[in-house]
Amino acid sequence: MADLRAFIRDRAAALGFDACRFASASAPWSAGERLAHFVEAGRHGDMGWMETTLARRAHPTAMWDGARTAIVLGLNYGPDADPLPEMADRAAGYVSVYARGDDYHEVIKGRLKTLAGQVAARTGEEVKVFVDTAPLMEKPLAQRAGMGWQGKHTNLLSREHGNWLFLGVILTAAEIEPDPPEAEHCGSCTACLDACPTNAFPAPFQLDARRCLSYLTIEFAGPWPEEFRQATGSRIYGCDDCLAVCPWNKFAQAASEIRLRPRPGLTAPRLSDLLALDDAAFRALFSKSPVKRIGRDRFVRNALYAAGNSGDGALVEPVRTLTADPNPVVADAARWALGRLTQGLPPLQGEGGFAS
């Protein structure tokens, strides 16, 4: 067993993974019950797939009854510097750190398949691979495996990597000795809760996705309530506030994987450039990027909210042009942004909990 664990860890490291831990996939856990309460409260918003797949998400064996061990892999995507100061530039849009390089699903998937094949060959047991695209709860598995713990912001938090880990999981029918789980090390700290621009945390360790800017910028397709339009500041894809303020990031390192390094056009992109994107230009700019999946209309909607918060009079004409956009949500966002810009409102700094 020790040789098997060492073999898997060596192969994982050779494939570029920064962490590899083991957990039981068949032992009871409470994560499924917590998820059920989350959905019952309606906190999943418009993500209907969470409700339709709830039974399969309840436990790893609910999806595959042959699962016995979870091999949990982590890939560091840490930024070069604290991302929070970037949000002070109101002429630029803020793209979440995780989405500035290539799509992590594609970066991780091939490596997981390679490792899974090696595990299957070594053990003779069936394996299945998961990268955030199937109803498997990776974060509770990662905590059970001792890779980190789910902090008060509900994201996985590591003493070695801070908040910046992508997760992948290999489920196997092989029985492999598990690692000890990680305890919670948040203590009395509430930095992540206090930093949230929209008060999306009803209580520590609880999230209401309907108020989360990551949900609104990525998952939600309609026009936003005005309170969130103001609170988004310059955030146009995702939100890193609760991650970036965490004191555990002092141990984090910048990503070494070249495909996860930020593209030049996705660090502080000019709002004037983003507002000019048509569908073809959007697809070209975000080729192989996770941003591509939300489409041009939703992305330009987000950029318009940021433009309305910028106080930049140079954006009036690009915004005015978009009031005639064929997409009604984009046109609505343009009218809102135009109203703010033509009223001469100053940039939103400190408004709605915005961290300036």
Side-chain angles (χ1 to χ4, degrees):
M1 182 63 70
D3 287 346
L4 176 59
R5 285 163 51 90
F7 167 79
I8 295 172
R9 285 195 165 123
D10 286 347
R11 293 296 87 211
L15 288 165
F17 288 107
D18 297 291
C20 175
R21 307 278 293 185
F22 304 90
S24 170
S26 56
W29 68 357
S30 59
E33 183 178 354
R34 293 197 303 271
L35 180 64
H37 291 322
F38 172 82
V39 172
E40 288 166 8
R43 291 177 177 172
H44 61 305
D46 281 358
M47 295 183 288
W49 43 267
M50 296 195 73
E51 186 172 358
T52 58
T53 62
L54 186 60
R56 295 175 65 203
R57 291 177 184 276
H59 193 277
T61 56
M63 186 172 52
W64 177 31
D65 61 7
R68 292 296 175 266
T69 301
I71 305 169
V72 185
L73 290 305
L75 187 61
N76 172 45
Y77 70 96
D80 291 328
D82 180 2
L84 284 175
E86 296 177 28
M87 299 183 192
D89 183 358
R90 295 301 185 271
Y94 183 83
V95 176
S96 182
V97 169
Y98 90 86
R100 296 180 183 181
D102 286 0
D103 190 334
Y104 69 94
H105 299 90
E106 299 305 318
V107 174
I108 295 177
K109 186 185 301 180
R111 301 176 190 195
L112 278 180
K113 288 182 177 179
T114 297
L115 181 59
Q118 294 170 341
V119 172
R122 183 75 175 245
T123 63
E125 299 286 358
E126 188 177 357
V127 294
K128 296 183 185 294
V129 169
F130 303 89
V131 193
D132 190 31
T133 54
L136 181 71
M137 299 176 70
E138 293 101 337
K139 288 184 287 186
L141 278 174
Q143 179 162 348
R144 174 178 279 189
M147 189 173 290
W149 70 98
Q150 285 189 258
K152 292 179 181 178
H153 52 16
T154 74
N155 293 292
L156 189 76
L157 184 53
S158 164
R159 288 192 284 179
E160 295 179 63
H161 303 286
N163 289 264
W164 316 111
L165 272 180
F166 289 132
L167 298 176
V169 176
I170 300 170
L171 293 183
T172 174
E175 294 277 3
I176 303 176
E177 181 183 354
D179 288 306
E182 177 64 281
E184 180 254 303
H185 297 286
C186 291
S188 61
C189 179
T190 59
C192 60
L193 309 183
D194 299 337
C196 180
T198 54
N199 298 314
F201 301 106
F205 309 105
Q206 296 182 30
L207 172 69
D208 188 340
R210 297 168 296 185
R211 301 187 62 87
C212 176
L213 289 175
S214 287
Y215 164 78
L216 288 164
T217 56
I218 299 170
E219 302 291 346
F220 186 67
W224 297 7
E226 185 159 337
E227 63 171 309
F228 300 137
R229 300 181 189 197
Q230 295 181 13
T232 198
S234 61
R235 304 168 189 81
I236 57 173
Y237 189 91
C239 179
D240 288 331
D241 294 60
C242 64
L243 303 180
V245 299
C246 180
W248 283 105
N249 287 332
K250 65 186 176 183
F251 299 111
Q253 302 292 321
S256 58
E257 168 54 52
I258 190 66
R259 293 174 63 190
L260 298 179
R261 305 289 288 176
R263 302 179 184 183
L266 296 188
T267 299
R270 300 291 93 182
L271 289 174
S272 55
D273 296 333
L274 302 180
L275 295 175
L277 292 173
D278 60 14
D279 188 65
F282 171 82
R283 290 177 177 275
L285 178 61
F286 294 110
S287 174
K288 299 183 180 180
S289 163
V291 178
K292 184 178 178 180
R293 78 178 184 88
I294 71 169
R296 175 264 179 191
D297 294 342
R298 201 176 302 184
F299 184 78
V300 172
R301 173 205 62 184
N302 299 344
L304 282 163
Y305 293 149
N309 295 329
S310 70
D312 184 357
L315 296 177
V316 167
E317 290 311 312
V319 168
R320 192 189 307 276
T321 299
L322 289 167
T323 61
D325 194 271
N327 182 281
V329 176
V330 172
D332 171 79
R335 289 190 293 270
W336 178 85
L338 184 64
R340 290 191 61 86
L341 291 171
T342 55
Q343 291 170 30
L345 297 175
L348 289 176
Q349 296 186 15
E351 188 172 346
F354 186 71
S356 58

